[in-house]
Amino acid sequence: MLDISALTHGLLLGLAMFVAPGPKDILILRETLVGQSPAKLIAIAVGTDVILIGLGMLGLSALLQQMPGLRLLAQGLGIALLAAHGVQAACAAARHDGPEHALPAPPPDGSGLRRLIVVSLFNPAAWLDTLLVIGTVGATLIPPLRFSFAAGAVTASVIWFSLWVLGARSARRLMGAPHARSIQGRRLLDAGVAIAMIGMALSLALSL
């Protein structure tokens, strides 16, 4: 049976952590604008949050706090990952290929979704918010309350990413004019991803 107090606690803490657009949100925005399935995007966004919250509550957050060297290594790998994806997006933004009057299309090989999964799971900012903060708070609760707390946090993830994807779909409909559908639109999307990824990588590197 759900405990309303613990569920509300998880919901409010989850909203406080999730309602702050970062690299994951920027990638979801881009994939929505290029026509990726909203259901797949929401499922990946929420599913990766469930994994990180679960790992945190099962003790990984405590392990990272007790082993600074391991935490530093994980953060370094995550920063390198963000920087690599940022450079990749910057290169894509610099290219001039593609039809002049077509919105970018989702890659047929699913590379956009795979990139979203990797960034969602290995972004150090996501660890701090989801694994370390939400997971640590949940782990301090008595066992009967942990499920309710986790359910509240996951509900916050569902709410935020559903609203984010719906908002992006509305923006996509506004991009119906030929000038908005030009190759410049694709380059701007990739440039936004590059700025978010590299900016987050630099910010996290300077905070180490």
Side-chain angles (χ1 to χ4, degrees), residues 21-40:
K24 175 179 178 178
D25 305 87
I26 297 298
L27 278 182
I28 290 174
L29 174 62
R30 184 194 186 282
E31 292 302 311
T32 303
L33 290 177
V34 303
Q36 194 60 262
S37 165
K40 290 181 180 179

Side-chain angles (χ1 to χ4, degrees), residues 12-127:
L12 294 178
L13 181 60
L15 288 174
M17 295 294 102
F18 298 137
V19 184
K24 175 179 178 178
D25 305 87
I26 297 298
L27 278 182
I28 290 174
L29 174 62
R30 184 194 186 282
E31 292 302 311
T32 303
L33 290 177
V34 303
Q36 194 60 262
S37 165
K40 290 181 180 179
L41 294 174
I42 294 172
I44 290 173
V46 176
T48 51
D49 281 343
V50 170
I51 292 173
L52 291 177
I53 291 170
L55 289 174
M57 294 182 66
L58 289 173
L60 183 56
S61 58
L63 178 64
L64 290 176
Q65 290 172 342
Q66 293 170 5
M67 301 179 66
L70 178 61
R71 179 174 175 177
L72 185 61
L73 175 61
Q75 287 179 315
L77 291 174
I79 289 169
L81 173 72
L82 289 178
H85 281 301
V87 170
Q88 182 182 26
C91 291
R95 288 198 296 265
H96 294 271
D97 55 348
E100 184 65 24
H101 293 291
L103 276 167
D109 60 357
S111 59
L113 294 179
R114 288 199 298 272
R115 182 189 305 175
L116 175 60
I117 292 172
V118 171
V119 169
S120 299
L121 289 175
F122 298 101
N123 171 14
W127 301 341

Side-chain angles (χ1 to χ4, degrees), residues 132-203:
L132 292 177
V133 176
I134 298 177
T136 299
V137 172
T140 63
L141 300 175
I142 60 174
L145 299 181
R146 290 178 186 174
F147 177 79
S148 297
F149 175 86
V154 171
T155 300
S157 178
V158 172
I159 292 172
W160 168 244
F161 288 112
S162 296
L163 292 175
W164 186 253
V165 170
L166 289 175
R169 281 176 61 82
S170 298
R172 177 180 168 84
R173 287 194 290 269
L174 295 176
M175 296 173 68
H179 70 276
R181 292 186 286 116
S182 71
I183 194 173
Q184 296 301 321
R186 173 166 51 188
R187 295 180 66 191
L188 286 173
L189 287 175
D190 286 322
V193 172
I195 291 171
M197 295 289 180
I198 296 174
M200 179 62 73
L202 288 173
S203 175

